[in-house]
Amino acid sequence: MIFLYLLLGIYTLGMLFVFAYSLAQGHLLLNFLKSRKIKVPVPKDPANWPKVTIQLPVFNERYVVERLIDATAKINYPRELLQIQILDDSTDETAQLILEKIKSFPDVDFQYLHRVDRKGFKAGALKEGLEKATGEFIAIFDADFVPDPDFLKKTIPYFTSEKIGMVQTRWTHLNENYSLLTKLQAFALDAHFLIEQIGRNTQHAFINFNGTGGVWRKSCILDAGNWDDDTLTEDLDLSYRAQRKGWEFVYRREIESPAELPPIMSAVKSQQFRWTKGGAECAAKHAGGVLKQDLPLSTKIHAMAHLFNSTIFIAVITVSLSSIGVWWAGQQGLIPTQLFRLAGIFMIGFVIIAAVYLVAFFYEKKGFWKSLIQGLYILPLFLSVSMGLALHNSQAVWEGLTGKKSPFIRTPKFNLEGGKTGLKSNLYITGKIPVTTWFEGLFALIFGAMVFLSIRVGAFEMLPFHLMLTIGYSLVFITSFKAYALGK
């Protein structure tokens, strides 16, 4: 019986964490809905446009770097006030492609900075570039972005006060309709860039620079301690250091920054690992300081939810595995049926989470019925795949919280829309299959067996949950295996 109580305790704690997470998301949703009634006036253009430096951190980007340079060279801003730094850490032919490409724009102030040691990875490149940056403001774009020509004309006016240190824009997606995988990623990112960013910014809680598609005041970066490479999410780390020092951030949903979504699961996993581990590293670095600091209670609560949001994957995998024992105990009559019914309260949390993603999905969608049909099949698939990534992401979170260091692994880019490369010919795909991928396949079999047993004995309390886990782990395993096979 002691083991049973322990099992129930683990299961309940996991469900409580998911429920608490959903309440925080629900509050962000409410603030997002309130924000739609708030009309923010578009600021006037400055009397004198300031000097701006655009930084383009690059590492082995042969498929997208020319597109990036083309787009950046078309930025509509006074030439004498614009400096464009290409911060290149490449070890392949990307360097030659860059040098040839910038010759096409003799009237643009391109500053090419090449490093051979890659010290500090992206954070190190940005920091070294900042030493030679002549701009009062620093705009940053990753290699897979295609900046809007009027990006600076739209963002710079929002620096209406000396207290504003950063303006972040909303990512949009160049290849959203390429595959089901890209549609699911867009579904997830839209919720972050609409509900979460707006929900936090509206109530003056801490938000984060998303690493690209934003503009910093140079003095803010320096005052906050400059870029640091002690976490894998240097953007989140600097964001918290700056806001904890009193700098204000602005998020503008209407200013779009188009970018490419990873089209294969191995690339998605690489990106997810960096984001979730880096988020956990920032939680370990900043949580204590935020709690001790003299800040409004709501700011502290949302900061904790923000910093520890990646730990939701540990909660999901804990609930998933312990649910097998709970299901068995229920079939043996060791758990009263009333407890199963009481657990239905936790389903409210999943409803709230679903609402967050659906509201983001329907934002500015045209054709209600078509969008409704799409949403009804994308939502359960998204939740299933998110559960299927729980093992992979839990490893990342655990490493981040416990201080295990790992290098900054870039997400391979493809430029499939531009026809630069096919999936099979991309030289950046690795063929090594991680051990976790095989466990994902094993979990798909285990939860598939649970679905079979539930149907056979007529116990349907956990059938939807186990069915989603089966689908999620199966899809993640199959798409991962196919993706890694491309690299062989």
Side-chain angles (χ1 to χ4, degrees):
M1 289 299 290
I2 295 177
F3 175 76
L4 176 60
Y5 289 136
L6 180 62
L7 184 67
L8 279 172
I10 292 172
Y11 179 79
T12 303
L13 282 174
M15 291 296 285
L16 280 171
F17 187 91
V18 174
F19 185 64
Y21 169 82
S22 72
L23 292 179
Q25 293 295 98
H27 190 249
L28 293 178
L29 177 59
L30 288 175
N31 278 279
F32 166 76
L33 295 174
K34 289 179 183 177
S35 74
R36 302 186 70 182
K37 300 178 182 178
I38 302 172
K39 291 185 178 181
V40 179
V42 178
K44 296 179 180 179
D45 290 348
N48 296 299
W49 291 97
K51 181 136 191 201
V52 177
T53 296
I54 297 177
Q55 292 187 319
L56 309 175
V58 172
F59 174 66
N60 292 353
E61 304 289 5
R62 69 176 76 194
Y63 303 118
V64 295
V65 72
E66 292 173 301
R67 180 182 69 183
L68 174 67
I69 293 172
D70 280 333
T72 312
K74 295 175 184 175
I75 293 286
N76 179 23
Y77 203 75
R79 290 294 182 211
E80 69 277 10
L81 299 175
L82 183 62
Q83 174 194 45
I84 303 176
Q85 291 183 333
I86 303 177
L87 310 176
D88 183 27
D89 288 357
S90 298
T91 57
D92 64 0
E93 67 182 41
T94 301
Q96 287 70 40
L97 290 173
I98 294 172
L99 291 172
E100 283 299 315
K101 190 64 178 177
I102 60 178
K103 291 178 182 178
S104 305
F105 305 100
D107 60 328
V108 179
D109 181 16
F110 277 111
Q111 183 181 37
Y112 178 69
L113 303 173
H114 186 264
R115 303 193 309 165
V116 293
D117 60 357
R118 211 186 172 206
K119 180 182 178 183
F121 305 105
K122 180 181 176 181
L126 293 172
K127 187 174 183 178
E128 289 192 28
L130 198 65
E131 295 175 2
K132 300 179 180 179
T134 57
E136 179 185 348
F137 294 93
I138 310 294
I140 301 172
F141 293 103
D142 282 349
D144 52 337
F145 275 68
V146 182
D148 176 359
D150 292 325
F151 178 84
L152 293 179
K153 289 290 185 74
K154 293 176 180 177
T155 53
I156 294 298
Y158 280 97
F159 286 92
T160 53
S161 163
E162 292 295 324
K163 294 180 180 179
I164 296 175
M166 193 277 298
V167 174
Q168 175 66 50
T169 66
R170 177 165 65 100
W171 294 6
T172 54
H173 321 293
L174 294 169
N175 59 336
E176 177 177 351
N177 295 318
Y178 177 78
S179 67
L180 177 60
L181 184 59
T182 55
K183 288 180 181 178
L184 293 176
Q185 291 175 78
F187 188 77
L189 286 170
D190 288 347
H192 168 69
F193 280 97
L194 288 169
I195 312 301
E196 294 183 349
Q197 288 286 60
I198 294 173
R200 293 188 183 108
N201 202 212
T202 300
Q203 59 181 313
H204 305 292
F206 289 174
I207 66 169
N208 61 293
F209 170 58
N210 291 106
T212 174
V215 185
W216 284 85
R217 190 185 294 273
K218 183 178 178 181
S219 57
C220 173
I221 297 175
L222 296 175
D223 181 60
N226 214 324
W227 297 102
D228 200 338
D229 65 334
D230 62 349
T231 73
L232 292 180
T233 46
E234 73 293 324
D235 44 11
L236 178 61
D237 172 41
L238 184 60
S239 297
Y240 265 73
R241 282 189 278 124
Q243 289 169 106
R244 288 179 61 191
K245 292 203 72 174
W247 289 93
E248 297 175 5
F249 285 8
V250 172
Y251 176 74
R252 299 312 309 159
R253 76 182 92 177
E254 76 281 359
I255 307 176
E256 300 179 355
S257 293
E260 174 186 299
L261 295 164
I264 59 173
M265 183 56 79
S266 59
V268 173
K269 281 185 167 181
S270 174
Q271 189 179 71
Q272 286 281 308
F273 191 91
R274 189 174 70 251
W275 287 353
T276 51
K277 180 172 181 176
E281 289 175 327
C282 285
K285 182 175 181 178
H286 292 288
V290 169
L291 290 175
K292 293 175 184 176
Q293 197 167 340
D294 183 18
L295 295 167
L297 180 61
S298 62
T299 300
K300 291 184 179 183
I301 291 173
H302 277 290
M304 293 302 103
H306 188 190
L307 288 169
F308 287 98
N309 64 2
S310 59
T311 54
I312 188 69
F313 292 106
I314 292 180
V316 168
I317 199 167
T318 300
V319 170
S320 302
L321 295 176
S322 60
S323 70
I324 297 173
V326 171
W327 181 90
W328 175 85
Q331 294 309 300
Q332 300 303 311
L334 301 175
I335 299 177
T337 342
Q338 290 83 352
L339 282 180
F340 275 108
R341 291 172 184 168
L342 188 62
I345 296 174
F346 292 118
M347 296 307 296
I348 298 172
F350 290 97
V351 172
I352 295 173
I353 292 171
V356 167
Y357 286 98
L358 284 177
V359 169
F361 178 75
F362 284 116
Y363 180 76
E364 291 185 340
K365 281 285 191 298
K366 296 180 180 179
F368 174 77
W369 293 109
K370 183 179 179 181
S371 298
L372 179 62
I373 294 171
Q374 290 177 341
L376 290 177
Y377 83 81
I378 285 181
L379 175 64
L381 273 177
F382 164 73
L383 293 175
S384 297
V385 172
S386 297
M387 292 177 185
L389 284 167
L391 176 63
H392 174 268
N393 288 348
S394 291
Q395 178 189 353
V397 174
W398 184 254
E399 289 186 9
L401 292 175
T402 55
K404 181 179 180 181
K405 295 299 180 182
S406 58
F408 185 103
I409 305 297
R410 62 177 286 281
T411 304
K413 315 299 190 307
F414 296 82
N415 194 4
L416 295 174
E417 297 295 305
K420 284 289 183 180
T421 176
L423 292 179
K424 292 184 179 179
S425 60
N426 191 292
L427 300 177
Y428 300 136
I429 302 175
T430 176
K432 186 177 179 181
I433 302 177
V435 175
T436 50
T437 298
W438 297 109
F439 274 99
E440 286 161 355
L442 176 61
F443 283 5
L445 293 174
I446 290 172
F447 290 113
M450 293 303 301
V451 169
F452 173 77
L453 287 173
S454 295
I455 295 173
R456 184 173 182 179
V457 302
F460 304 119
E461 294 87 355
M462 291 189 177
L463 179 61
F465 183 48
H466 289 156
L467 180 60
M468 291 177 72
L469 287 166
T470 303
I471 294 171
Y473 277 113
S474 297
L475 287 174
V476 170
F477 172 73
I478 293 169
T479 54
S480 296
F481 194 84
K482 287 182 177 179
Y484 290 120
L486 290 172
K488 292 185 176 180

